[in-house]
Amino acid sequence: MKKFLAVVLTLCLLTSVSPLFAFAASPFTDLSGHWAESYVLPLYEKGIISGKSVNTFDPEANMTRAEFLTLALKVPSVPTPNFEKSFSDIEESQWFAKTVSEAQSRGLIPAEMVVNNCFNPDAPITREEMTAIIVRLWESFRGILVPVELSFTDTTAFSAWANEAIAKAVSLGVITGNPDGSFNPQGLATRAEASVIFNRLDKKLDEPVVTIKNGEYHPMYGDIYHDDVDIQKMVDDAYASGAGEVTIPAGVYKIPQKRTAHLTLDNMENFTINAYGVTLIFDKHYGRGLQMMNAKNLTINGLTVDYEEPLFTQAKIIGIDPEGSYFDLEIEDGYYKNLSDTQFFTDNMQLHFHDSDFKLSRVDSSGYFFASRIIKKIEENHYRLNSLKLVGVGKHCKVGDYITILSSNEGYPMYIQHSDGINMNDVTIYSGCVGISEGNGN
């Protein structure tokens, strides 16, 4: 299913790559016959990892913290565009500066790896440190993992802060122990061992994700909802305490609607919500999602917003009247197909036309309003949109283009009114439109 993104403020999504089934001959003379060769070469072919030189990989060398973070962000193709100084021992001129800065902003670096505001980027990374980073990276994209009970022989040697991360990594299937049954948490990770982790992570990210509920509408979330966390209370408590910001732990949260909105930030000033790796799923398709009224100087970082029930339906144009007065449509899988269902579609519907790349048609500035009765069902999944009002539109559309249909009682995933200085960084909004009234922001 191809999903239309109605609004994207700054899109930063995981990109997946098809697995390779054949590899070129290894350029590394010291990998021939090595146990890690089959793990390293797929990463090398994808440009994720390189050698120490043209002909050597040095598989038994220790991997540094900076090297590990650099490779970790390459697996899901995370961009590292900016540098913000976070650690006193890292300067912008260093080759890994942007990587470490991006990892820190995304919450990938455990606090226990920082001492006196120093990250020590050239230090060899330990096995438990690399495990903790990989788990945080996964959870920032795919939601919180469930830990399993560990059976390693040396669990007493685990650092308390790393114990859960190791249990989650085992659950995910990206890390195992040694042949003797130990994990060796304080051991230094080699380039070969790190390559195994990255290879497994890369394959995991390529796997189809378990779907939930009605087929394909939320393929990315799976069964990873947190419906027992009160995000509204978390934000309200932080603001009431006088704090200038709040950080929401990474994960996917189902947010029930309360009164007119799901999450309300009304009357808040000079406040920042850090939400990297956070997806809020609003449970009602009507009403408002994130509401900001009479707010000033609010910043939201890294948030993704979506709905449990789609706000619109999406159809591909499969036929056009030569005169342009009607369109034959095929409703795509994962979207509601019963256009007479008054729970979702009323007598006043808004249509938007898009080309095959989902760019708004140049004839479509603010959408077209129609009564639902002009859409007639032809057969399963197929409808005919019939109106003389469409003659002008038909001249600019072709088979393979798309139409999105929104009901007049649709919700706004984000509603801003009488507010100034609303700043959003890496915020992604699916399924709908943004309502802004007398507001300013970036």
Side-chain angles (χ1 to χ4, degrees), residues 153-348:
T153 59
D154 56 351
T155 53
T156 56
F158 293 3
S159 296
W161 62 268
N163 189 77
E164 184 178 58
I166 296 171
K168 288 181 174 182
V170 172
S171 172
L172 181 60
V174 297
I175 198 165
T176 58
N178 298 314
D180 63 359
S182 67
F183 182 77
N184 191 20
Q186 310 301 327
L188 303 181
T190 65
R191 286 169 55 81
E193 290 173 333
S195 297
V196 173
I197 301 298
F198 292 132
N199 183 285
R200 290 172 178 165
L201 178 66
D202 185 51
K203 290 180 178 178
K204 286 286 181 182
L205 291 173
D206 274 347
E207 289 178 359
V209 185
V210 177
T211 60
I212 63 169
K213 292 200 171 181
N214 296 325
E216 303 174 10
Y217 184 65
H218 287 304
M220 70 176 67
Y221 304 130
D223 189 19
I224 52 177
Y225 281 148
H226 293 273
D227 55 9
D228 57 347
V229 179
D230 192 335
I231 298 297
Q232 182 74 66
K233 186 176 186 302
M234 183 186 300
V235 173
D236 288 346
D237 287 351
Y239 185 75
S241 73
E245 64 178 13
V246 63
T247 298
I248 302 175
V252 179
Y253 300 89
K254 183 187 291 186
I255 309 296
Q257 185 178 9
K258 299 178 180 179
R259 298 181 297 278
T260 60
H262 291 76
L263 183 62
T264 302
L265 307 178
D266 295 349
N267 304 308
M268 290 187 175
E269 296 184 10
N270 305 315
F271 191 63
T272 297
I273 298 175
N274 295 309
Y276 282 105
V278 173
T279 298
L280 300 184
I281 307 294
F282 300 141
D283 71 341
K284 296 292 189 299
H285 69 280
Y286 51 82
R288 298 164 186 172
L290 184 60
Q291 176 176 293
M292 287 164 275
M293 298 179 66
N294 303 310
K296 184 178 295 184
N297 297 329
L298 287 185
T299 298
I300 302 175
N301 296 320
L303 178 65
T304 296
V305 172
D306 206 340
Y307 274 78
E308 187 175 31
E309 299 174 341
L311 295 177
F312 61 89
T313 196
Q314 176 174 294
K316 180 184 288 187
I317 298 175
I318 59 175
I320 303 178
D321 169 42
E323 300 299 322
S325 63
Y326 71 77
F327 295 85
D328 286 340
L329 309 175
E330 180 179 54
I331 306 296
E332 294 212 312
D333 287 341
Y335 295 94
Y336 287 98
K337 298 178 173 62
N338 184 8
L339 301 189
S340 62
D341 183 355
T342 56
Q343 182 182 4
F344 294 93
F345 303 102
T346 66
D347 279 340
N348 190 14

Side-chain angles (χ1 to χ4, degrees), residues 5 7-13 220-221 278-280 300-306 413-414 424-431:
L5 306 186
V7 180
V8 179
L9 300 177
T10 302
L11 181 62
C12 179
L13 291 179
M220 70 176 67
Y221 304 130
V278 173
T279 298
L280 300 184
I300 302 175
N301 296 320
L303 178 65
T304 296
V305 172
D306 206 340
M414 191 166 292
M424 300 180 193
N425 305 306
D426 296 330
V427 172
T428 304
I429 300 176
Y430 293 108
S431 308

Side-chain angles (χ1 to χ4, degrees), residues 12 14 48 68-80 99 102-104 106-110 129-145 165 168-169 172 174 197-198 201-202 205 250-251 276-278:
C12 179
L14 171 70
I48 295 173
F68 188 85
L69 281 176
T70 299
L71 296 175
L73 294 184
K74 279 187 174 183
V75 174
S77 303
V78 174
T80 55
T99 295
E102 182 68 21
Q104 175 68 357
R106 289 176 175 270
L108 304 184
I109 301 175
E129 288 170 347
M130 75 172 182
T131 303
I133 290 172
I134 286 299
V135 167
R136 288 176 175 227
L137 179 65
W138 175 271
E139 290 187 335
S140 72
F141 284 112
R142 294 290 180 87
I144 305 301
L145 294 163
K168 288 181 174 182
L172 181 60
V174 297
I197 301 298
F198 292 132
L201 178 66
D202 185 51
L205 291 173
Y276 282 105
V278 173

